[in-house]
Amino acid sequence: MAKARATNQLAFAFDLPRPATHPAALAGSDARTARMVGEILNSDPRAREVIAAEMSVLLDDQVSKAMLDAWSAPGKDAHNISWSRLRALILVTNRFDLLDRDLREIGAAVLVGEEIHTARLGHLKSKIAELTAELRAVERMATPIARGSTEC
């Protein structure tokens, strides 16, 4: 039976990521990461050998299909993917949405490439709104300056 392949990436979420800080909040992270690796591999139409080859070029280190298979198995505790290799896998497959989903667990979110301009735009608009509110408050308090017989 053929594996189900994802057809759409997850949409960016605008909800505020909150870090999981309660006891054992990150327990089972290795298994969740392995499932994420499996999800990434299963959603990509390319053969795992091709993905491994592209990762090898980026890392200047050999990555094989067998390594990808081991990293995607939640039950193989001895074969966890390293952070550098996970980053290469995400870059090669363009699955930043899954990285975002994973990082939200620790209170972070991912912006990719030009998305930073959208975030900056929102930040600047927020600052403008704050300054506009301050300006209005000062306008309500301000009175004309009168010195001598002339008003300034």
Side-chain angles (χ1 to χ4, degrees), residues 12 96 110-121:
F12 183 82
F96 297 99
V110 174
L111 293 174
V112 180
E114 299 290 321
E115 293 172 352
I116 194 72
H117 298 306
T118 304
R120 176 105 172 107
L121 179 64

Side-chain angles (χ1 to χ4, degrees), residues 31-148:
R32 283 194 301 280
T33 300
R35 284 190 291 277
M36 181 175 71
V37 170
E39 187 176 352
I40 290 170
L41 294 171
N42 290 333
S43 69
D44 197 291
R46 295 171 295 172
R48 290 185 181 192
E49 292 85 357
V50 173
I51 294 170
E54 290 185 25
M55 289 176 64
S56 296
V57 170
L58 276 177
L59 295 166
D60 193 25
D61 190 18
Q62 186 59 42
V63 176
S64 68
K65 177 193 180 294
M67 293 166 79
L68 293 176
D69 292 340
W71 294 333
S72 66
K76 292 190 175 183
D77 290 338
H79 293 91
N80 295 327
I81 190 169
S82 69
W83 177 238
S84 63
R85 289 174 174 169
L86 179 60
R87 289 177 21 202
L89 177 62
I90 289 165
L91 183 58
V92 163
T93 59
N94 200 35
R95 290 308 306 262
F96 297 99
D97 58 315
L98 296 179
L99 176 62
D100 181 67
R101 182 183 72 189
D102 193 59
L103 290 179
R104 285 177 179 275
E105 185 177 341
I106 61 169
V110 174
L111 293 174
V112 180
E114 299 290 321
E115 293 172 352
I116 194 72
H117 298 306
T118 304
R120 176 105 172 107
L121 179 64
H123 174 71
L124 291 172
K125 285 184 176 185
S126 178
K127 285 173 64 175
I128 289 169
E130 184 180 303
L131 289 171
T132 300
E134 183 179 346
L135 178 65
R136 287 186 182 132
V138 172
E139 283 175 340
R140 286 191 298 273
M141 294 183 293
T143 57
I145 298 173
R147 294 197 180 129

